[in-house]
Every structure is written in C-alpha cells, then in structure tokens.
Amino acid sequence: MTQQNELHAAVTVSPDIDAAPAASAWQPLRQRVFRMLWIATVVSNVGSWMSDIGVNWTMLSLSADPLAVALVQAASSLPMFLFVLPAGVLADIVERRKILLFSQAWTFCAAAGLALLSFTGNVTPEVLLAATFLLSTGAALSSPAFQAVVPDLVEKRELSPAIALNSLGINISRAIGPALGGLLLSFAGPWMVFLLNALSVLGVAFVLYRWQPQVTIQRLPPEHFFTAIRGGLRYVHAAPVLRNVLARTVAFFLFGSAGWAMLPLVARRELGLGPGGYGIMLACIGFGAICGAMLLPKLRKRLNADQMMVAASLLFAVTMVALAFIRHVWLLNAFEFFTGFAWIAVLSTLNVGAQRSAARWVKARALAVYLTVFFGSMTVGSAIWGKLASEFGVTWALCAATLGMVLGTATVLRWRLEKDAALDLDMIDPAGFATETAIPHERGPVMVSCEYRVSPQDAHDFVCAMQEMRRVRRRTGAMGWAVYEDAHHPGVFVETWVMGSWIEHLRQHERHTVNDKLIRERVLAFHQGDEPPVVRHLVAPAQR
C-alpha cells in the first residue's frame, strides 16, 4: 500500500495548461468541492499510511521470512496491475462519481474487517496478505477515476495548481501518517490503526455523496466495455510518447521496488527498531518528498524531463546502497530523506509524461495502462527482491537492485520523455462532420478510403508524412491501415483504414486533437488540385 496513495497526487494534466492564464497556488481551494475533497483525501491518506505501517509491522511480528515481508508489497501492487485498466475503462464510460463511491465502500469494508480480525487475534500471514490485496483493490478501482475527475472540480487555469496541491496533500499525509501510526502501534496495537483507516474513508465518501457533477451531454452512446479496452490499448500502441513513458517506468520501478520491499526488514531486523522508530523512518521519507515537491518547479526550469529522471534515479540508487550498508539509525534516516526526494521527482516526471500524452477521450484508460505497468513492475520487483533476500540476504538483494537501476538509466538513450515536446492534445470540434446516410450503428466493419493526388517528385516525402497519419488513424480506433499507389497513374495514392462498426467510425470524428489536425494539414499540403481528396465509406453488407 505504500505507493498507491501517491496516485491521487498526479491527477489529470491537460496539455493546454501552460496556455491558460496563471492562477495562484492556493486558488483551487476556493472551489468548495475541491477544497472539501482535498481535506478529506488528506485525512484518508493519513489513515492509509497508518494502515501501511500496521500491515508491515504485523507481518514482521508474524513471520521472519524476508519473502513473506516482501509479499506484502507484492499483494499491495498486484490488484493495481490486475484491475486498474478495467477501472480506467469504466471511468471513461460510466459516471466517475459512482465508481468512486463504490470504491470507498469497498475500502471501508476491507479495512473494518481487518480491524475486527486483528482485535480478535485472528490475523495470520495469509489473512494479512488477503486483506492487503482487498485494500489495494479498492485503490485500483478509484485511482483512474480520481485522476480523471479533477478537471471537473476546478477551472481550466486552476488545473496546474490543483495538481500541485494534491501532491502537497499526499506528502503531508506521508509525513504525518507513519509517525502517528507508529505511536498508535506502540500504545494501542494494530487493530486501532486499521480501525482509524476504515473511519478515515468516510469523509471522502461523504464529500462524493454530496457532490452533484455537471451532466455531460454525449452525442453518441457510450462504448461497450471490451470495445473500450481495445480502443485504449490501440491508442497506447500508436502513441510514441506514452510508449516511452512506459519503458522508463519499467526501468525504474522494477529495481526501485527493492527499496520499499526491504525497508521494514532493515528497520526491524538490522536496526532493531520498534514501530515508533519505523514510523519515524517513513516520516523522514515523507519530509523528503514534501521538500522535493516544493523544489520541483525550480528544478524543472534547469533540467528537462530526461535529465530529471536520470538524476533522481541515480540519487535513489545511492539511497538503496545506504539502506544496504548503513546501520546507524539517524544517518540512515538522513539518506531516507533523499529517498523521498528522489521518489517524488521520478513519480511526478513520469506522471506528467503519461498525462500529457493522453487525449481527453481516452484519458482514464491511458493513465490506467501507465498505472498497470507501474504496479506490475512493483509487483514483480518486490517478489524478485524478496526471494533474493531470502536466499542470499538483504544486502545482496539491495546491491543487485542498485546495479540494475544504474544500468536502467541508459534507457534515456532510446526512450526519451522529451520526444515531441510541442504535443497538443486539445480536442477539436467535430461539428463540421455530418453524414446524411442513415446507417445502423452496429453495421460494420467499415472501410474508409481517401484518394490523394501528389506530384511524383513529392511522393517520397508524402509517404513519410503518411506514417504519422497512420498513427492518427490507429490512435482514434482504426483496426487496420494501409496506403497504396495506383500502378497506372503514378502520384495517385489511396489511403484506407478499417473501423469495427459505423458507430466506431462516428466516434473517430469526435476523437481528433489539435495535434492530429496539424498532421492532417501536413499531409493535405501534398495534395494537388482544387478539389479536396475523394473520401469513400464502404460498409460490409448487412446479414440477411
């Protein structure tokens, strides 16, 4: 559960934020619903961090096996890997408020159940892992919807400061929660920590229950679930910037997971700390994250996203070496401060990269894919490093992870986050598109062809430009794409692409962005003649 709280800090970023007039850092708090939800979320996340230290410490009390302790992190990450993509699809096609209310109810039941089992002394390692899995499932259900809902709560120009406030709130809770949880563990036991976590959820649920979001009028019926999943995956496959973010995510979190998985083992077994001391160690990480969040705006003026990732990754690698060898409590706490600093820098950089590369119509799904890769890397990494620590020791596992992270920084040479820095994914108005043909929505497949007339000397440049057009068609839902040249009339090119149904063809016209429009204009610049390219729509015959 250590990382799932972070995700609410990285709410939706729109590519047009920089173009909007600047708002003050605190202005989003003037929006009543955002202010109430921000306060409730901070309280809820304090409860989550308290629960996190309670779960880790309870497992340390039940089992001395490093693998069992590392499996707590794996059980926390696995639901995010399994369920966040379906949750992202639902967040794009179902009212997000309903999803959020259901997830809060789920989390309350899981936390209250764990509190009851702990109070009655019926917690075993298997029960603890199952409860951790259920708690994280609630987070998986809510994360994409939380990330996509913030633009509904603030004005466009307030979105950037709203993101900063959410990040600040997460790190405030990170600093308070572990220390408070450690004190409660010392004086009242784990059951009290789990109970307070359950109660902390109620504030978020109350705010969501009272909130009445503005009704969105849709021109077309919502997508079906599995169709929406395929559409989201096609978008990710055809979005180069997002693919680069995913590659860098694996390169960092697969190895960075070792720091979180081994931390409770070092605290309990190597340093002999009690729950209070472990809580203070986590609080140091939280204070480091707060300082990192405050300094990031200044650092971003000096370093681009790729330089920030490399610097933060190397700093995190240094802190893992410290965790492996330093056994002086306060000296190690000083290094853990920089763990939080590096972690928030990496997480923020990757989140911004993922958010700026996702169009609004597929925002929750694209971010869900990012979260799936994030937590998949955390799950696999935690299991690997836990197994290695069980076989060869904690120090060896941390050193191996450090070496992997240092080598992983070389991914900057192939997968750059700064690719296409001018990317603009604002949606454009599809009002200009109209069809007088009354075709049933379910008819399909549909093949669309577009005929261009190009000067023979421009043919090579035209074909190169069409490769970007291929990505546009694929991102907006095309199942297949090709371009052909007429063998008898050189310079006559026919572009074809296939949509699954007529309704998918109609949706494609509502999915184009400013960036897509610019690509199309570059392609049309090669077309010769006074008439626009000839477009044809071919629909599969209806079954009789």
Side-chain angles (χ1 to χ4, degrees):
M1 291 173 290
T2 306
Q3 285 79 31
Q4 69 192 32
N5 301 316
E6 317 245 11
L7 301 176
H8 302 317
V11 293
T12 306
V13 174
S14 174
D16 58 356
I17 290 174
D18 294 335
S24 71
W26 306 102
Q27 188 163 328
L29 293 177
R30 298 176 184 175
Q31 304 289 346
R32 181 177 178 276
V33 177
F34 177 84
R35 181 176 67 252
M36 298 301 294
L37 189 59
W38 186 84
I39 294 172
T41 303
V42 169
V43 173
S44 178
N45 284 328
V46 168
S48 295
W49 286 108
M50 290 168 55
S51 178
D52 178 66
I53 190 174
V55 167
N56 280 300
W57 206 256
T58 301
M59 181 59 81
L60 285 167
S61 302
L62 295 173
S63 175
D65 186 357
L67 179 59
V69 177
L71 284 178
V72 172
Q73 178 62 60
S76 175
S77 301
L78 183 59
M80 306 298 292
F81 175 72
L82 294 176
F83 305 131
V84 78
L85 179 55
V89 172
L90 289 175
D92 275 335
I93 63 178
V94 178
E95 184 185 343
R96 290 163 184 162
R97 174 174 168 271
K98 294 179 180 178
I99 298 174
L100 292 172
L101 282 171
F102 176 81
S103 66
Q104 301 310 302
W106 177 288
T107 302
F108 173 80
C109 292
L114 180 58
L116 180 61
L117 290 172
S118 178
F119 182 74
T120 57
N122 291 314
V123 174
T124 64
E126 294 77 16
V127 168
L128 194 61
L129 289 175
T132 302
F133 183 90
L134 293 175
L135 285 168
S136 186
T137 298
L141 294 174
S142 65
S143 289
F146 260 119
Q147 293 195 22
V149 80
V150 170
D152 298 332
L153 303 178
V154 297
E155 296 179 3
K156 186 176 182 178
R157 68 192 187 95
E158 297 173 338
L159 193 53
S160 184
I163 294 163
L165 282 170
N166 276 324
S167 179
L168 178 63
I170 291 295
N171 291 303
I172 288 173
S173 65
R174 185 211 288 268
I176 296 174
L180 185 58
L183 289 175
L184 287 172
L185 279 172
S186 301
F187 292 104
W191 71 271
M192 179 60 72
V193 172
F194 300 143
L195 177 61
L196 291 178
N197 181 36
L199 295 176
S200 71
V201 173
L202 298 179
V204 177
F206 177 76
V207 174
L208 291 170
Y209 178 77
R210 295 289 303 273
W211 174 44
Q212 296 298 324
Q214 184 177 359
V215 178
T216 302
I217 300 176
Q218 296 184 338
R219 305 181 187 184
L220 298 173
E223 296 178 80
H224 295 297
F225 182 79
F226 292 106
T227 302
I229 287 182
R230 289 194 297 270
L233 294 177
R234 274 196 296 266
Y235 181 91
V236 172
H237 184 264
V241 177
L242 185 54
R243 291 205 310 268
N244 289 359
V245 171
L246 299 181
R248 302 291 292 280
T249 297
V250 174
F252 179 83
F253 291 110
L254 184 65
F255 303 105
S257 59
W260 295 105
M262 299 296 106
L263 185 64
L265 288 169
V266 172
R268 178 73 178 262
R269 292 173 49 178
E270 305 294 332
L271 299 177
L273 298 178
Y278 178 51
I280 291 174
M281 182 175 287
L282 290 177
C284 289
I285 297 176
F287 283 119
I290 291 175
C291 293
M294 295 174 66
L295 289 176
L296 275 178
K298 294 182 179 180
L299 291 176
R300 287 197 179 104
K301 294 179 180 179
R302 300 183 176 218
L303 304 174
N304 63 33
D306 291 300
Q307 293 168 336
M308 181 80 76
M309 274 293 299
V310 171
S313 297
L314 293 177
L315 179 59
F316 196 90
V318 170
T319 65
M320 286 202 295
V321 172
L323 188 63
F325 293 104
I326 293 178
R327 294 299 175 258
H328 184 282
V329 174
W330 291 109
L331 180 58
L332 183 57
N333 281 345
F335 276 94
E336 291 308 307
F337 173 90
F338 291 102
T339 295
F341 191 104
W343 184 264
I344 198 65
V346 168
L347 196 64
S348 175
T349 302
L350 289 174
N351 279 334
V352 169
Q355 294 152 350
R356 84 174 185 91
S357 59
R360 182 175 292 275
W361 68 269
V362 73
K363 179 74 72 176
R365 277 169 282 181
L367 293 176
V369 172
Y370 160 66
L371 296 181
T372 299
V373 173
F374 171 14
F375 281 100
S377 302
M378 292 293 297
T379 301
V380 173
S382 297
I384 290 174
W385 307 123
K387 181 63 176 177
L388 289 178
S390 182
E391 295 290 335
F392 304 104
V394 172
T395 299
W396 195 94
L398 285 168
C399 288
T402 300
L403 178 61
M405 177 164 289
V406 172
L407 295 176
T409 58
T411 54
V412 68
L413 301 176
R414 173 64 177 82
W415 294 284
R416 300 187 68 85
L417 300 178
E418 286 296 312
K419 179 182 175 66
D420 200 359
L423 188 67
D424 187 345
L425 297 183
D426 271 0
M427 306 303 295
I428 60 176
D429 187 3
F433 171 74
T435 177
E436 297 178 359
T437 307
I439 298 177
H441 285 174
E442 67 275 6
R443 279 281 301 276
V446 177
M447 185 176 76
V448 186
S449 68
C450 188
E451 182 179 302
Y452 304 89
R453 297 184 177 274
V454 180
S455 174
Q457 58 264 32
D458 292 333
H460 175 73
D461 292 336
F462 171 78
V463 172
C464 292
M466 288 301 292
Q467 296 309 306
E468 285 299 314
M469 202 67 204
R470 173 181 62 85
R471 294 189 180 94
V472 171
R473 307 299 189 198
R474 299 286 295 186
R475 278 197 295 268
T476 52
M479 299 188 299
W481 180 93
V483 62
Y484 303 93
E485 184 176 13
D486 192 321
H488 300 291
H489 301 87
V492 175
F493 290 87
V494 178
E495 177 196 14
T496 65
W497 65 98
V498 178
M499 305 299 296
S501 63
W502 187 253
I503 185 66
E504 286 302 306
H505 168 63
L506 297 178
R507 287 195 180 104
Q508 186 177 49
H509 286 274
E510 295 197 336
R511 293 171 175 172
H512 288 132
T513 65
V514 172
N515 186 67
D516 298 337
K517 181 181 179 182
L518 294 175
I519 292 173
R520 177 166 173 76
E521 288 174 351
R522 286 198 294 268
V523 169
L524 289 176
F526 291 99
H527 178 69
Q528 295 184 328
D530 297 330
E531 298 296 323
V534 178
V535 179
R536 297 182 180 89
H537 301 85
L538 307 177
V539 186
Q543 298 295 325
R544 298 184 183 278

